[in-house]
């Protein structure tokens, strides 16, 4: 066979190129070695206690003999489907029993049960999560993950991920080698300073990194043995945690300034020294540091900040979808008047991305960029931000409104959200404030005067209790001729007479898994603005014309794997066009450039991990 292959390569350059590309497309680089047997160095109870390799009752009889498992499991060999069925029956039965008293909601009880499965059998855990993604994404991710983070010290059982603390300065380069995986493709890191809209939760914030990586596996097919949740513990300013004897983190005030930067710098150097091709997603860093760290690292390392860039991308996709839902072409986006409530990292991130998108549509020059900022009115806790305000946050300064112009509109510095909505009559009211109920009855009533034929309300703050308004409040006040989107899930609203108020979940999970997967398989040196924009625009066009005209601008989470592949394909294509792609393993940059759109999708399809039990073969170390 080797001689035949040698002859083919020597005699036919065209065939050589064709065979090589087919070979490259089908090689599974991100799987556990595809369908090949997996070599393990443990047997008997050690295998059953290892969640990466444990199959429970699904071990075949031949594997039971090879791995000294005969007699350690009940004799009936169950299929993975039967295992899931048995788990689901057990979960429904245990939901209520797993609650720690009446104050413990069913959602947290479900999380406990799923977490136990994760602890004993990773493959089956992800098989369940993928099969029931619509039901369980809100459990492993928002909104339930917020509750998990608030109670993490009490929920902690089995360590998952790594903890780098201020006490580890000078040791991180050696510490990183304590992680057992030789290859890590994806890290999600947090410092716990701003978990969702819940504030400083210190070391408990690792729950958000774990939840995000569960979605990387379920949605993007990143190999779970190649993901790493990380907590950078630099202390906490949460007085309750500082006084709690059961708190698991450092009980000291947060580091700041150069001391803080030194810890994060050392962490970044350590992980990229061991895993030069890893992608690091920054998650839930307070606004003070989110932008600074993004600018500090983005041109040097493969990293991005999901709160700044992922939230912005999903919002852009939603805003473009809202234009489509008004029956207009997306090129009309620069005409939209947008009131933004919230000037934190998420709000400013959305404003910057929306401004760039508008500018590109207007000619992508300095005049267009300057003109685009006039479409936004930014409101924070002190009201409308104008150039008359003292000590404006530098990140918000570009969006501070001109005082003379505001006088003509009947507005002033610090005008309330209700006043701004009344005077501006916006096309879009966008909430990223983390203030539950901010879109009051009065604010929503003011939106009735919008000049748009179909105004859009984006209540994007998480978790659910921090949403600026509920779907029911929006539809009950404004009727069915609106577009509604939120960060956390809400049920559709029955408006009577056969009319349904569609609730769109503008969730970051539609984008960040595809951004990560596309970056990984393209081998892009950095995550560029163009790659992020390509991801957002692909999401915006995912819904059919018929769907958007019904007010459905985001897809169902049940389609998450398909959405992720489409987004990842757009990211790969953009990385190639920007000459950032360096390839991944044997798919080098040159071969990647030759792939058609169909071949890129095939490449993605063949190189994502699926939760199938591998055949295990024992080998003595």
């Amino acid at each position: 066979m080797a001689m035949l292959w040698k002859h083919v390569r020597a005699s036919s350059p065209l065939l050589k190129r064709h065979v090589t590309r087919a070979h490259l497309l089908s090689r599974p680089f991100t799987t556990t070695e595809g369908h090949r047997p997996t070599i393990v160095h443990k047997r008997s109870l050690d295998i059953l206690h290892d969640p990466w390799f444990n199959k429970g009752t699904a071990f075949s009889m031949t594997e039971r003999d090879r791995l000294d498992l005969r007699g350690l499991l009940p004799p009936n060999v169950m299929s993975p489907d039967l295992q899931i069925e048995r788990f689901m029956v057990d979960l429904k039965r245990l939901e209520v029993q797993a609650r720690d008293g009446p104050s413990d909601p069913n959602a947290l009880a479900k999380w406990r049960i799923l977490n136990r499965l994760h602890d004993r059998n990773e493959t089956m855990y992800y098989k369940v999560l993928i099969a029931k993604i619509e039901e369980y994404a809100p459990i492993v991710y928002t909104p339930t993950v917020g509750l998990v983070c608030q109670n993490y010290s009490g929920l902690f059982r089995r360590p998952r991920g790594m903890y780098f603390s201020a006490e580890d300065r000078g040791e991180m380069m050696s510490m990183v080698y304590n992680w057992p995986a030789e290859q890590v493709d994806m890290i999600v890191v947090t410092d716990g300073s701003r978990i969702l809209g819940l504030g400083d939760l210190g070391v408990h914030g690792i729950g958000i990194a774990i939840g995000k990586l569960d979605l990387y596996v379920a949605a993007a097919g990143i190999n779970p043995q190649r993901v790493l949740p990380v907590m950078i513990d630099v202390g906490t300013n949460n007085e309750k945690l500082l006084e709690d004897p059961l708190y698991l983190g450092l009980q000291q005030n947060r580091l700041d300034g150069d001391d803080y930067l030194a810890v994060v710098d050392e962490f970044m150097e350590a992980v990229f020294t061991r895993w030069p091709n890893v992608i690091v997603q920054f998650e839930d860093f307070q606004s003070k540091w989110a932008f600074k760290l993004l600018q500090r690292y983005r041109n040097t390392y493969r990293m991005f900040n999901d709160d700044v860039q992922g939230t912005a991308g999903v919002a852009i996709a939603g805003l473009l979808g809202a234009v489509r839902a008004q029956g207009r072409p997306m090129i009309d986006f620069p005409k939209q008047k947008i009131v933004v409530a919230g000037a934190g990292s998420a709000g400013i991130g959305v404003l910057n991305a929306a401004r760039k998108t508008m500018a590109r549509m207007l000619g992508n020059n300095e005049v267009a960029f300057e003109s685009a900022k006039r479409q936004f009115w930014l409101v924070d806790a002190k009201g409308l931000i104008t150039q008359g305000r003292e000590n404006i946050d530098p990140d918000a300064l570009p969006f501070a409104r001109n005082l003379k112009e505001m006088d003509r509109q009947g507005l002033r510095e610090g005008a309330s959200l209700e006043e701004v909505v009344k005077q501006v009559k916006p096309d879009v009211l966008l909430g990223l404030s983390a203030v539950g109920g901010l879109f009051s009855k009065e604010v929503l009533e003011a939106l009735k005067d919008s000049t748009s034929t179909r105004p859009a309300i984006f209540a994007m703050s998480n978790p659910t209790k921090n949403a600026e308004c509920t779907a029911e409040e929006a539809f009950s006040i404004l009727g069915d001729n609106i577009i509604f989107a939120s960060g956390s899930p809400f049920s559709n609203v029955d408006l009577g007479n056969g009319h349904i108020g569609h609730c769109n979940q503008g969730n970051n999970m539609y984008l960040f898994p595809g951004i990560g997967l596309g970056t990984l398989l393209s081998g892009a040196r950095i995550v560029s603005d163009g790659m992020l924009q390509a991801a957002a625009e692909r999401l915006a066009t995912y819904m059919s014309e018929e769907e958007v005209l019904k007010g459905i601008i985001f897809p169902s989470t049940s389609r998450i794997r398909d959405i992720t592949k489409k987004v990842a394909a757009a990211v790969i294509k953009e990385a190639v066009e920007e000459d950032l792609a360096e390839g991944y393993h044997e798919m080098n940059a040159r071969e990647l450039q030759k792939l058609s759109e169909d071949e890129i999708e095939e490449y993605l399809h063949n190189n994502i991990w699926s939760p199938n039990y591998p055949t295990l073969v024992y080998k003595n170390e």
Side-chain angles (χ1 to χ4, degrees), residues 437-490:
L438 181 66
F439 295 169
S440 63
K441 182 174 183 246
E442 291 74 22
V443 169
L444 293 173
E445 289 275 3
L447 195 60
K448 284 182 177 179
D449 294 328
S450 167
T451 52
S452 172
T453 54
R454 196 175 195 184
I457 298 166
F458 288 76
M460 301 295 280
S461 293
N462 286 314
T464 310
K465 73 183 185 71
N466 288 351
E468 284 76 11
C469 69
T470 67
E472 196 165 343
E473 287 166 348
F475 283 109
S476 65
I477 291 170
L478 289 157
D480 63 350
N481 198 34
I482 59 167
I483 300 140
F484 180 85
S486 57
S488 289
F490 285 102

Side-chain angles (χ1 to χ4, degrees), residues 608-621:
I608 60 174
W609 180 87
S610 291
N612 300 317
Y613 291 128
T615 300
L616 301 182
V617 176
Y618 173 74
K619 184 178 180 181
N620 195 322
E621 284 185 286

Side-chain angles (χ1 to χ4, degrees), residues 50-52 115 118-119 122 152 155-160:
D50 188 330
W52 280 359
N115 198 52
H118 197 175
D119 285 347
E122 281 219 343
Y152 200 76
L155 294 169
F156 179 85
R157 296 292 180 273
R158 174 181 177 267
R160 182 169 283 121

Side-chain angles (χ1 to χ4, degrees), residues 33-90:
E33 301 305 327
H35 299 296
R36 300 183 212 168
T38 296
I39 305 298
V40 292
H41 303 295
K42 53 181 73 175
R43 291 182 291 189
S44 188
L45 288 173
D46 288 339
I47 278 283
L48 296 180
H49 292 156
D50 188 330
W52 280 359
F53 301 117
N54 180 30
K55 302 182 187 181
T57 54
F59 280 107
S60 68
M61 294 312 291
T62 54
E63 280 184 317
R64 295 181 191 206
D65 286 337
R66 279 201 307 273
L67 301 171
D68 295 345
L69 294 172
R70 191 180 280 270
L72 300 182
L73 290 163
N76 185 6
V77 177
M78 303 193 84
S79 70
D81 287 342
L82 278 174
Q83 281 188 309
I84 290 177
E85 190 176 325
R86 192 164 64 89
F87 172 77
M88 296 303 296
V89 168
D90 207 32

Side-chain angles (χ1 to χ4, degrees), residues 338-462:
I338 302 172
V339 170
V340 180
S345 59
I348 299 295
V350 168
L351 281 168
N352 285 325
R355 184 184 182 187
K356 285 176 186 172
T357 304
M358 287 183 177
R360 186 157 49 251
M361 291 177 172
L362 292 168
N364 209 19
N365 52 45
E366 201 171 315
V367 173
F369 191 64
E370 188 62 25
S371 170
K373 75 177 185 182
R374 298 193 193 104
Q375 299 305 116
F376 305 100
W377 287 257
L378 180 59
V379 180
D380 67 1
K382 296 177 182 176
L384 178 66
I385 298 177
T386 72
Q387 292 167 0
R389 182 177 298 193
E390 294 180 5
N391 302 318
I392 302 177
D393 186 314
D395 296 315
L397 185 58
F399 301 98
R401 301 294 304 206
N402 180 282
L403 279 172
K404 287 182 181 176
E405 183 191 355
M406 290 302 93
D407 280 343
R408 289 195 296 272
Q409 284 191 350
L411 290 170
R412 67 194 191 302
E413 160 62 33
S416 71
L417 181 61
E418 182 188 347
E419 290 175 292
V420 173
V421 172
K422 254 182 197 166
Q423 297 301 323
V424 173
K425 301 177 173 45
D427 300 280
V428 179
L429 177 57
L430 176 59
L432 288 156
S433 65
V435 179
L438 181 66
F439 295 169
S440 63
K441 182 174 183 246
E442 291 74 22
V443 169
L444 293 173
E445 289 275 3
L447 195 60
K448 284 182 177 179
D449 294 328
S450 167
T451 52
S452 172
T453 54
R454 196 175 195 184
I457 298 166
F458 288 76
M460 301 295 280
S461 293
N462 286 314

